[in-house]
Amino acid sequence: MLFDALATPALNLKNRMVMSPLTRSRAVERNCPNALMVEYYRQRASAGLIITEGTSPSINGLGYANIPGICNDEQEKGWQAVVSAVHEAGGKMVMQLMHTGRVTHVANLPSGGEVMGPMAEACPGEIFTLSQGLKPHTAPRAMSAADIEQVVKEFTEAAQRAIRAGFDGVELHAANGYLIEQFLNPNVNGRTDGYGGSISGRNRLALDIARSVVAAIGANKVGIRLSPCGVFNSTGGFAEVEPQYLALVRELSALGLLYIHVLDHSAMGAPAVPETLKRELKQQFKGLFILAGGFDRDTAETALTEKKADLIAFGRSFLANPDLVQRFKLGAPLNVPDMETFYTSDAKGYTDYPSLP
Ligand SMILES: Cc1cc2nc3c(=O)[nH]c(=O)nc-3n(C[C@H](O)[C@H](O)[C@H](O)COP(=O)(O)O)c2cc1C
């Protein structure tokens, strides 16, 4: 099944293997995609679908050093070169829109950028900055109603830029403790203004953004990534997680979204997303259902056969194996990912993983 094509009215995929979004910090000049990034993604075009690394729709969301943006013409042009190389090589590609919110230090933001979040409370822990090494996260400004309106606009304009650049769609990053999940999670969001305080309040920003992006580019070009039960970036579990995510997914389904992409980081030490919750989320959603986290060829095949998902996303294995599809087909050994070069700035550990001869 993994190698079977999947045709939808919106997108024809040549296999069921998705390349997970992977931040690689190679956008070293003005957060712009460059020739090295063109080569990296082109090498991986045999995936059924590539999801880009987290890409910021706002100068306030460029929270890590050297991550790419999609907030100006130069960045849009850089992405155009990436996506056309992937299309020429026969691949499909969506852009992950990631706003880091409170997960940053102000030194990582371009001039004029501001750290914002649901509350004026710093994310615990430290973050790497190019100029000062490891630093505690900067305390954010609690977003006002006008800031929320602005961020919805930024996501919407970024999605329009992505489509103009040639992408097949966008993925809203509502996982891993970044801005959208900061609003979803009551351990981070204690707002009392209608954007917090209840299931519908906490889901509201995600839905405002989804509705606006859908209106701008069409529902069949919009996916979303969710990590219920995630702990990354000091989010953590909460009592209403199941009814909240089910309510969210029901509304996303009514909007007609292309896919939801559910992440279970238990293979990386996080609590598992209960199987029952994954099943219910899939049942509540009428579009495509992607599962991610810790899959190999056999577990992916089983998940597809058991109809637990329509597509399976692979992160570290695609990072280290540009020809992962071919290796899985042949049962060939895999290159091992080198953690030391995940976030460095050059070709080493990026475009030099070998393909099979
Ligand atoms: C180097 C690295 C960078 C990542 N960057 C992102 C990212 O930008 N956006 C995102 O949603 N997840 C990101 N993730 C999480 C992966 O998409 C994926 O969910 C995770 O690696 C688990 O899948 P795997 O077991 O197949 O690797 C990253 C993971 C790694 C290892």
Side-chain angles (χ1 to χ4, degrees), residues 20-24 52-54 96 98 171 173 175-176 178 225 263-265 267-268 292-295 313-317 319 342-343:
S20 276
L22 294 162
T23 290
R24 303 305 311 277
T52 70
E53 64 209 273
Q96 187 183 58
M98 171 176 90
E171 173 175 289
H173 194 354
N176 294 351
Y178 299 110
R225 195 170 216 220
L263 180 50
D264 179 332
H265 270 167
M268 295 167 115
F295 283 98
F314 302 88
R316 289 160 292 174
S317 48
L319 183 156
F342 277 3
Y343 307 112

Side-chain angles (χ1 to χ4, degrees), residues 159-291:
Q160 289 169 319
R161 281 190 184 277
I163 297 303
R164 218 158 44 221
F167 280 91
D168 299 293
V170 300
E171 173 175 289
L172 306 175
H173 194 354
N176 294 351
Y178 299 110
L179 185 72
I180 300 177
E181 199 192 351
Q182 289 161 28
F183 275 78
L184 292 176
N185 191 299
N187 300 324
V188 183
N189 178 0
R191 294 176 75 101
T192 53
D193 67 343
Y195 281 92
S198 64
I199 285 178
S200 63
R202 292 189 296 271
N203 284 346
R204 188 167 163 196
L205 179 67
L207 289 166
D208 281 2
I209 292 173
R211 264 186 221 106
S212 177
V213 171
V214 161
I217 67 167
N220 62 9
K221 292 193 167 58
V222 185
I224 191 165
R225 195 170 216 220
L226 303 170
S227 55
C229 317
V231 292
F232 194 49
N233 289 315
S234 305
T235 50
F238 59 98
E240 289 183 311
V241 64
E242 298 204 5
Q244 181 172 328
Y245 276 80
L246 286 167
L248 177 63
V249 163
R250 270 194 294 274
E251 298 219 38
L252 294 168
S253 187
L255 284 177
L257 251 58
L258 176 65
Y259 71 75
I260 56 172
H261 181 178
V262 173
L263 180 50
D264 179 332
H265 270 167
S266 51
M268 295 167 115
V273 181
E275 284 300 315
T276 48
L277 178 57
K278 288 181 198 165
R279 198 165 53 235
E280 284 178 80
L281 291 170
K282 183 170 187 293
Q283 274 165 5
Q284 297 295 333
F285 187 70
K286 61 177 190 272
L288 298 174
F289 192 74
I290 308 179
L291 278 178

Side-chain angles (χ1 to χ4, degrees), residues 99-126:
H99 189 308
T100 50
R102 69 174 192 157
V103 179
T104 188
H105 184 277
V106 70
N108 284 343
L109 299 182
S111 141
E114 205 184 347
V115 185
M116 292 189 193
M119 311 287 287
E121 278 171 27
C123 181
E126 296 184 315

